[in-house]
Amino acid sequence: MQPSAFRAGPTIEGVRLSASEDQAAVERVLAGDVSAFEDLVRRWQGPLINLAWRFTNDRGRADEMAQEAFLRAFRGLDRWRKDAAFSTWLFALATNLYRTELRRIPMRTVSFEEAGPLRDPRAQDGGVEQADLHRAVRRAVLALPSKYREALILFYFHDMDVPSAARSLGLSEGTVKSQLARGREILRGKLPRLFAAPHLEEAQ
C-alpha cells in the first residue's frame, strides 16, 4: 500500500498540542466543568466517526456508534490513567465498542468470491487514479475475515502504528503484526498488480 495514500498523519507538533489540550479539557471535566467535554467532542468527533465508518461502511450507523463511544468515554473519564495519550485511550475504547457492536449486529460484507475479480485501479498510461485505488483496496479489505480487516483498518486507514493498534484491539504487538502480514498476503492475491509494487509498506 502506498504510504502517501494511506499513512499521512498529523505532525508531531500537532500531536503534542492536541495531547496538551486534551489533558486540560479532561482535568476541567473532572473538576466539575462538564462543558469542557465539548472541546473533546469537537476535536475527536470527525476521527471517531471516520473510524466507525471504516468498520461499518454505513454513515448513519457510524454516527450512532461514535456518539455511544463519546457517551461511554464521558462516563468513564476518571478511568483514564494518563499512562498513554487521551486519544489513545479514547480510540481503544471506541474500537472495542465498534467491534462489540459488529459482533452483535454484523455488517453486510461480501466474500472474495462474491466480489469477483477486482479491476486493476491504474490508468492506461500506467498512472494510479487515487479514487479508484482507494475504492479497490477498501472493497478488498472489507471482504477480509474480521481479525485481518480490523488490524488493516487501524494501521492503514486510520494511521495507527502497531503499538497503538495493538492497544486498541487488546492484542499483543506480535499478533497485530502477524494479522497485518496475513491480511496483506490475502490482498496481494486479490490485487496482484497493485501489491507487486515495491512501495508496499510493512509494519515495523
Side-chain angles (χ1 to χ4, degrees):
M1 293 188 180
Q2 295 177 316
S4 61
F6 299 108
R7 301 285 291 165
T11 64
I12 295 298
E13 288 304 317
V15 170
R16 287 175 181 166
L17 178 62
S18 174
S20 175
E21 292 174 340
D22 288 342
Q23 182 166 340
V26 170
E27 290 174 352
R28 286 168 55 199
V29 174
L30 294 177
D33 182 5
V34 177
S35 65
F37 194 74
E38 295 177 6
D39 293 340
L40 297 169
V41 173
R42 186 163 46 248
R43 190 172 302 123
W44 296 110
Q45 183 175 40
L48 248 62
I49 291 175
N50 181 55
L51 177 61
W53 181 77
R54 298 292 187 187
F55 274 90
T56 65
N57 203 32
D58 182 326
R59 180 53 191 262
R61 191 176 181 191
D63 288 342
E64 294 175 357
M65 289 166 60
Q67 290 178 15
E68 179 63 23
F70 277 119
L71 179 59
R72 295 193 184 189
F74 178 76
R75 291 172 174 170
L77 206 55
D78 60 344
R79 293 197 293 272
W80 174 45
R81 300 305 181 189
K82 302 179 183 178
D83 54 345
F86 170 78
S87 58
T88 299
W89 176 81
L90 177 64
F91 281 106
L93 180 154
T95 299
N96 185 59
L97 169 65
Y98 298 166
R99 295 169 74 201
T100 299
E101 281 298 299
L102 287 176
R103 284 194 293 269
R104 187 176 68 87
I105 307 176
M107 71 174 183
R108 171 71 173 101
T109 59
V110 297
S111 67
F112 281 138
E113 290 71 24
E114 291 177 304
L118 295 179
R119 181 174 62 86
D120 182 5
R122 293 188 287 187
Q124 292 182 353
D125 62 2
V128 177
E129 294 291 340
Q130 285 295 315
D132 285 345
L133 185 150
H134 277 273
R135 280 193 293 268
V137 173
R138 177 166 175 75
R139 184 181 176 190
V141 168
L142 288 176
L144 289 170
S146 61
K147 61 182 178 180
Y148 306 131
R149 181 176 68 240
E150 291 164 356
L152 285 165
I153 285 172
L154 293 180
F155 186 78
Y156 285 111
F157 293 102
H158 213 69
D159 197 43
M160 286 190 182
D161 57 18
V162 169
S164 296
R167 283 192 294 268
S168 292
L169 294 169
L171 302 171
S172 70
E173 292 182 23
T175 298
V176 170
K177 286 183 178 181
S178 296
Q179 291 177 347
L180 289 170
R182 178 54 180 155
R184 281 192 296 264
E185 181 181 346
I186 296 172
L187 290 177
R188 283 191 185 99
K190 194 63 179 176
L191 294 169
R193 293 185 182 180
L194 178 63
F195 285 85
H199 59 234
L200 178 62
E201 181 180 358
E202 301 292 336
Q204 302 297 325

